[in-house]
Each structure stands twice: as C-alpha cells, then as structure tokens.
Amino acid sequence: MLHFLVNWLASTPSFATPYALAALGLIISERVGVLSLGAEGFLLVGALAGVAADLEFGGLPAAALVVAMLAAAAVSLLFALLVVVLRVNQVIAGLAIVFFCQGLTSLVGTLGGWTNRAIAGLHAVAIWPLSAIPFAGRILFTQDLVVFATVPIFFLVSRILSRSMLGLRLRSVGENPDAADATGVSVSLYRFGAVLAGSALIGLAGGYLSVVDVKIWIPDMTGGRGWIAIALVIFARWQPWRALFGALLFGCIEALIPRIAAAGIQAPQYFLLMTPYLATIAVMVWVGLTKLGRLKEPAALGRPHVREERR
Amino acid sequence: MFKKLALVAGAAALLAAGSAWGANGFTLKGPPKVAFLYFKAKNDGGWTQAFDEARPKMEKALGMRIPYVENIAEDAAQITPPAEKFIQRGYNIVIGTAFGYSDTFKELAKKYPDIAFLNAAGVTNGPNLQSFYGRTYQSQYLCGMVAGAMTKSNKLGFVGANPFGLVNWTINAYEMGARRVNPKATLHVVFTGAWNDPVKERAAAEALADEGVDVIGQHVDTPTPQIVAQERHIYGTGHHRDMRQFAPKATLCSSVWVWAKYLIPEIKKIEAGNWHPNPYGDFISIKDGGTDIACCNTVVPKKVVKEVMAARQDIIDGKFHIYAGPIKDRNGKLRVAAGKVISDADLWKMNWYVPGVITQQK
C-alpha cells in the first residue's frame, strides 16, 4: 500500500507540470484582458517544435524546450496580431488558432519527418542527498528539471504580477484599459508582450508533454489538455498559486487512474476517466458558494481596446 | 427502374440469412483500378502506415499504380468527395481503412453499384461492399507466448484502448498464450479510454512497471508503451507494426498487419468477376494474411521462437483453435463448451476475461 502511495505521488508532478505551466501562461495573457482560447494549439506547436529540435540538434533537451517556447511565441504573434492590432473577436480568433495549429503541426511534422520518432528526451534526476530521504526523497527530489523549475517560475510570475510596477501596469491594462491608456501605458504593447510571454509558457508545457513526458511526437497528441488548462484558470480565479494547486489536483487524479487499473482494484473505468472533470465542476461550485467567488475575472477580459472609444 | 429492381432483389437476398448475395456475383465493368482512402497520415507509425506498406507490394503484384488520399476523418462529408473523385476518374475498386467509414461506404455502394468497395475494420457489407479485419487474437496469442516465456516476475501487463470485443479477444488470447508456456503468468490490464493518447499510454505503462510487471503488451495506436518498457529496462510486445523500430532492446515481437497478403488475392477475385462479398465481412486469419507475428528479438531464446512458430503453423493448418472449448471465464462460468469453437458473433461481443486476467472491470 505504501509502495503504491509513494509511486503514485512520485508520478504526480510530471502530470501536473504541463497543466501548471499552461495555466500560468494563460493567466499572464488573461490578466491583460486577452482571452486565449488557443492554448491547445500552442501546446501542439510547443510539442512538435520540442521534438523537432531534439531530433535536429542531436538530443539537447534543454535547447529543445527553449525552441518549444520560441515556436509557440512565434505562432502567437499571429494571434496577437489578430486580437490586439486588428481587434478581431477574441473567442473566434482563439478557436481559429486551435484549428490552424492542429493542421499546421500535422503538416509540418510530416514534412519535416519528425512524426513518430522516439527521442531520448529529458530524464528525471535525483538530487542527492535529499533524494535519499525515505519516501519524500523519491516524491519531491527525484524529478526532472522542469518540475524543479516550475515552482520558481510561479514565484517569479506571481511576484511580478502582484508586487512590481510592470505587474501593476499589466493588471491595469486588463482591468481598465482606458484608464491605463490615460496614464500613458501602451495598451497594445503590453497586451502584445503578455500574449507572447504567456504563449511561450504554454509552448514550454507542450514541449514538456513531448520531450520530457512521452518522448515522441504524434499529431494531436495533447489530447485536449489545453482546454483543461483554460478551465483551471477559471477555477483558480486568475490567481497563479491557486492554478498550481488545481494543476496538482488534476495531476493527482490523472496519475491515479491507470494505477488503480494496474493494481486490479475494481472500480468503474469510465467513472474514473470522468473524475478530473467532475473535480472541475465540484471546485467551480465550491468557488461559487464561498468568498473565493468574489475574486472577479479581469474586467476587460475578452474586450478589444479601441483608444478613446466611447461606450 | 431496372437498377431499382436489382436493388430490391439484393435486399431480398440479404433477408435470406446465410445465403449468398443473389445468384450472380459482382463483376467489374472494366479493368480494375484500385484507390485507397487512408484514415490517418501514411506515416502514422501504425494502422495507416501498415496499409501504405502493403500498397507498393500490391502495385507490383497487380501491375498498376495505386493512388491514395490521407487523413480522411470518419465523417461522411470528408469521405464522400475523395471517394467520388476517384470514381469519376475511373477507379472502380475503392478501399477504405476505418470503422467510421462503414455507413458512408454503405451509402456509396448503393449509389455506385458498379464500383467495388472494401473497408478495413468496417461493419457494413453489401453486394459490392465487403468489410475486412484480421483475427488479431491469433497474433496476440503468439505474442503472449513470447511474453510468458520471457517474464521473470510472472506479471505481464497490457495497455488497451477500450474494453470491447476486439480488444478483449486480444487480451484473453494474450493471457492464454502466456499460460501455455508459463502457467503462473497473470496479465494486468490498463485501459486508457483512447486509441491515440501517448500521455495516457505512458501513464498506464509506468503504472504497470511500478506494479512489478516485466513484459508490456499493447492494443493502442502509439509505440509509447514500448518506449516506456525500454526506459524501465523491461520488455514489451508491439501492435500494428514491428515496433523494434522504436524500442530495439525492449520489443520482443509484434502483432502486425499484413494486408498485401489478403488484398492482392481479393482484388484478383474481384477482377475475375462473379465476386461474392462475404455478407458478414471477411474475418481473416494468419493463413490468409491480415494479421501475423513479427518474431522475434534476439534476446528471445531459439527454443521459444521455435515453439511460437510451431503454434503459428498449427493455427495456419487449422490444427489449433485458440478459442476452442472448454474455456471458462475467470468467474468460473463456462463460455465455450468442450468440443466447440467460439462463433464469430461471440468474439465480437466478448465481454468476459479468462482466469489470470486482472482488470478493474468486474
């Protein structure tokens, strides 16, 4: 039983990390008022770019993850151009980006010959001597480098958002772009930058899925995880640490499902596969009923900003 | 009018259960021209790629060029236009490659009675339409034998997509094959609920490895379980194609598709005229192609390989039936009576497991 518990908890961070990074990327973009429904697409771009870079550069997983971030940011330029400069409806632009990226990654993966090729990828490392601690060493200190980097990344982003001048400006653009504009903050520039930075993090999450997790690129391999990240952001009420908690909750459940089956514990399969989504609904209800519900979404979320427009 | 009458006659023949389709079979109006509709990309590493590997062999044997279109989703709006384009260009044998083409192919077959339609993994048939699928339990039984011989922990694992007939029959056969050479072998099964989700497949394979499983079989579409097996220094057996390509150290053998062996003679039969499609579809065994075992990795002892190949020969010669009774399920209920072989209908609706299979289902 203890063996089962330790193995389960030790595998949780690698499931939680892509959700956490993607949700954090979405929070950055949404806190400046840009609803980024294209997450699933950026995940795919990151996943393909990561594997492609790993294959082309001869197995440098860290470089592959950087390429994954850059590639997702590059594709998000198109999204940013649509919603920030051209002020296209953000919902429609986001959905279009998802379908665009699905086609693009399938095509480029085939043309480049990167589909269905196993890579060595990034492996877990044990931080000695901490990893020698019974149980906790295996769970907390025998993970891959991206898992270790995730907490500092969260700390940094949450610190910037809530404690710095840059964060104040970013948030003001998302809450009241007219006021921000009046104080001399360039709404378009901040939104552009936030979309790029956020998408890079989503690309990192995608690269994690392919380079660190499954170590292969297969078209449409993200399996809807971008949409789960979007739900995570909503129930985290756009707060980074809550998103990390939500990602861990999802990771726990996703890691548990196959383990129940492998151990031969009799439980209805389709009910178990449903549990992450039931958890989403349950947390949403809980958030709605408690004071957490008072944390509102960014007031200008989804609204294109037109300078000095009368409303 | 005449065509309608012919259709009515065809329908009447369908009602006469067990009888062939009318007195006269299907005959092409001209020389055969074959075209493929692929479900996924031609290099998908599995199901579709197996067809694309059969295609050049068919081209050579039949002396023609065989065109294809890729990535045709299981949706009438996606299937019909390329199929009709081929027909307009004079192609008269159209081969589909997905279960979800079944209904659309049925419609097309009615609309174009002069064209022959074949569909892999389909469930619809007609006077000019035949579905076909391989008896994968034969090849997976042989893989189970290899797994049973190679395990040290006596715990085997299996990553499956969904618990229904055609996955369940491979699981049961795998365990029966394993028990033939190793009566202590048990099979731990994880269903991912998806055919093509490498993240879930890795989760399943890792969970199995953590449970102490040392050979992982699979009936899902990506090679991920094999890659995990290699990382964890255990073994695996593949599906669809020879997966030693992905995990040269771990993959012991694979249950593979060999479509050319079936399609070349079948197309020759259509070409010869008076073709009678099987009213229940063609359900092909190793003897006629469809499925086979790619055997074996060099780590498998010669003695085991010999035993597996002998069992394969017995299946081909009809001396050995995997689902020959008596077979009891793991709850002790008799599922196949002594002296009987399971019917195809019972295979397709198989919802029970043989002793030694450990699942989360009851």
Side-chain angles (χ1 to χ4, degrees):
Chain A
M1 189 60 213
L2 191 63
H3 176 72
F4 180 91
L5 205 67
V6 170
N7 280 331
W8 167 37
L9 293 177
S11 71
T12 296
S14 69
F15 286 98
T17 299
Y19 290 130
L21 292 172
L24 188 65
L26 283 168
I27 287 173
I28 295 176
S29 155
E30 299 196 359
R31 286 297 279 272
V32 295
V34 178
L35 181 64
S36 184
L37 292 183
E40 180 76 4
F42 299 137
L43 276 182
L44 282 169
V45 170
L48 172 62
V51 166
D54 195 282
L55 285 168
E56 298 302 322
F57 302 159
L60 293 170
L65 290 171
V66 172
V67 172
M69 293 176 79
L70 292 177
V75 175
S76 78
L77 274 175
L78 176 68
F79 177 66
L81 184 76
L82 286 172
V83 300
V84 179
V85 180
L86 301 174
R87 301 186 185 94
V88 173
N89 179 312
Q90 293 180 3
V91 173
I92 293 170
L95 294 177
I97 284 286
V98 174
F99 295 123
F100 170 71
C101 290
Q102 282 175 340
L104 181 78
T105 51
S106 295
L107 179 71
V108 172
T110 303
L111 291 180
W114 298 310
T115 305
N116 261 304
R117 281 174 62 189
I119 60 170
L122 187 69
H123 288 275
V125 287
I127 300 186
W128 196 84
L130 292 173
S131 60
I133 305 170
F135 312 125
R138 168 86 201 284
I139 297 167
L140 296 176
F141 301 108
T142 311
Q143 299 289 348
D144 57 76
L145 292 174
V146 182
V147 169
F148 292 133
T150 299
V151 174
I153 291 174
F154 263 77
F155 183 77
L156 190 72
V157 171
S158 121
R159 189 89 192 163
I160 289 174
L161 275 178
S162 59
R163 295 267 189 276
S164 75
M165 200 60 205
L166 175 65
L168 184 66
R169 287 186 183 138
L170 285 168
R171 280 181 290 132
S172 70
V173 166
E175 296 295 341
N176 193 339
D178 296 316
D181 188 39
T183 62
V185 172
S186 166
V187 173
S188 299
L189 198 67
Y190 274 80
R191 284 191 167 178
F192 219 94
V195 167
L196 253 61
S199 302
L201 272 180
I202 304 174
L204 178 61
Y208 185 88
L209 284 174
S210 66
V211 175
V212 188
D213 197 1
V214 297
K215 301 179 181 75
I216 196 166
W217 158 258
I218 287 157
D220 285 331
M221 60 168 276
T222 52
R225 288 174 177 80
W227 301 108
I228 293 180
I230 290 173
L232 264 175
V233 170
I234 299 171
F235 89 54
R237 307 311 297 169
W238 292 268
Q239 308 292 316
W241 292 110
R242 290 211 178 94
L244 184 61
F245 170 76
L248 277 170
L249 185 72
F250 263 76
C252 258
I253 297 171
E254 218 182 331
L256 180 64
I257 291 171
R259 278 166 201 280
I260 286 181
I265 299 166
Q266 297 205 334
Q269 182 207 1
Y270 290 105
F271 179 79
L272 283 176
L273 292 177
M274 203 162 74
T275 43
Y277 311 99
L278 278 180
T280 312
I281 296 171
V283 175
M284 296 280 232
V285 170
W286 175 62
V287 163
L289 292 177
T290 58
K291 63 178 181 184
L292 287 172
R294 268 182 254 150
L295 284 166
K296 287 285 184 289
E297 61 183 47
L301 184 63
R303 262 203 351 246
H305 174 67
V306 183
R307 207 170 186 195
E308 302 195 346
E309 180 197 46
R310 285 169 197 275
R311 257 192 301 273
Chain B
M1 188 63 205
F2 182 76
K3 265 186 188 167
K4 267 191 186 158
L5 276 176
L7 270 181
V8 172
L14 174 66
L15 289 172
S19 75
W21 298 99
N24 291 316
F26 173 87
T27 303
L28 289 174
K29 293 282 183 281
K33 280 183 85 182
V34 183
F36 267 113
L37 301 184
Y38 289 162
F39 174 46
K40 287 273 167 70
K42 66 177 176 181
N43 60 348
D44 72 348
W47 174 253
T48 302
Q49 192 163 343
F51 284 100
D52 203 56
E53 283 165 353
R55 197 173 50 86
K57 291 179 192 155
M58 293 164 64
E59 287 183 329
K60 209 170 157 207
L62 299 164
M64 63 173 78
R65 208 183 63 82
I66 301 175
Y68 59 88
V69 272
E70 298 174 77
N71 285 315
I72 307 298
E74 295 176 313
D75 167 8
Q78 292 232 20
I79 302 161
T80 312
E84 292 193 325
K85 192 135 266 174
F86 276 133
I87 293 166
Q88 283 158 15
R89 289 185 189 163
Y91 289 91
N92 51 17
I93 300 175
V94 178
I95 307 176
T97 55
F99 162 77
Y101 292 7
S102 300
D103 293 341
T104 313
F105 265 50
K106 183 89 192 167
E107 295 296 314
L108 285 167
K110 272 186 202 153
K111 194 171 164 193
Y112 299 99
D114 294 338
I115 308 294
F117 291 90
L118 292 167
N119 186 22
V123 290
T124 52
N125 297 282
N128 57 334
L129 164 64
Q130 178 171 280
S131 292
F132 61 94
Y133 195 70
R135 292 182 188 267
T136 46
Y137 57 86
Q138 296 177 341
S139 47
Q140 289 276 16
Y141 177 91
L142 300 173
C143 286
M145 286 177 70
V146 177
M150 295 298 288
T151 179
K152 293 206 172 61
S153 65
N154 295 327
K155 275 173 137 182
L156 308 176
F158 201 92
V159 183
N162 287 299
F164 70 114
L166 70 88
V167 178
N168 289 342
W169 79 47
T170 63
I171 288 167
N172 285 335
Y174 199 87
E175 173 63 6
M176 287 194 284
R179 288 230 160 157
R180 170 167 165 164
V181 295
N182 179 353
K184 279 187 251 162
T186 56
L187 185 63
H188 294 247
V189 184
V190 179
F191 293 105
T192 60
W195 284 101
N196 209 13
D197 189 329
V199 181
K200 284 188 176 144
E201 287 166 26
R202 166 166 291 265
E206 296 262 10
L208 287 166
D210 284 342
E211 277 296 313
V213 156
D214 62 357
V215 186
I216 300 178
Q218 67 173 83
H219 194 171
V220 285
D221 286 352
T222 89
T224 313
Q226 304 303 311
I227 296 171
V228 175
Q230 179 137 331
E231 273 174 37
R232 303 287 296 249
H233 306 293
I234 56 176
Y235 294 122
T237 69
H239 186 61
H240 285 317
R241 290 173 59 255
D242 189 342
M243 289 192 166
R244 272 175 285 184
Q245 173 192 347
F246 300 103
K249 281 187 200 144
T251 304
L252 298 170
C253 62
S254 300
S255 154
V256 297
W257 301 111
V258 282
W259 294 121
K261 194 173 164 189
Y262 163 72
L263 284 170
I264 293 166
E266 197 63 23
I267 288 167
K268 283 189 174 154
K269 263 195 249 169
I270 299 174
E271 187 182 357
N274 200 24
W275 176 54
H276 289 274
N278 187 332
Y280 300 107
D282 249 359
F283 194 19
I284 324 151
S285 60
I286 290 182
K287 180 168 170 276
D288 300 312
T291 177
D292 207 338
I293 179 172
C295 175
C296 284
N297 195 311
T298 45
V299 296
V300 181
K302 288 227 164 59
K303 187 173 145 271
V304 175
V305 175
K306 219 172 144 192
E307 207 180 337
V308 169
M309 288 326 239
R312 177 179 175 272
Q313 197 55 45
D314 285 348
I315 293 171
I316 291 175
D317 296 342
K319 280 192 236 158
F320 171 59
H321 294 281
I322 289 158
Y323 281 105
I327 296 175
K328 281 186 181 165
D329 71 15
R330 60 185 177 182
N331 302 323
K333 189 175 165 194
L334 188 71
R335 292 293 184 165
V336 186
K340 293 246 168 82
V341 174
I342 197 169
S343 70
D344 287 354
D346 284 340
L347 275 171
W348 286 104
K349 64 181 184 203
M350 186 178 286
N351 60 355
W352 46 270
Y353 299 102
V354 295
V357 175
I358 296 163
T359 69
Q360 65 183 82
Q361 279 78 16
K362 285 229 170 66

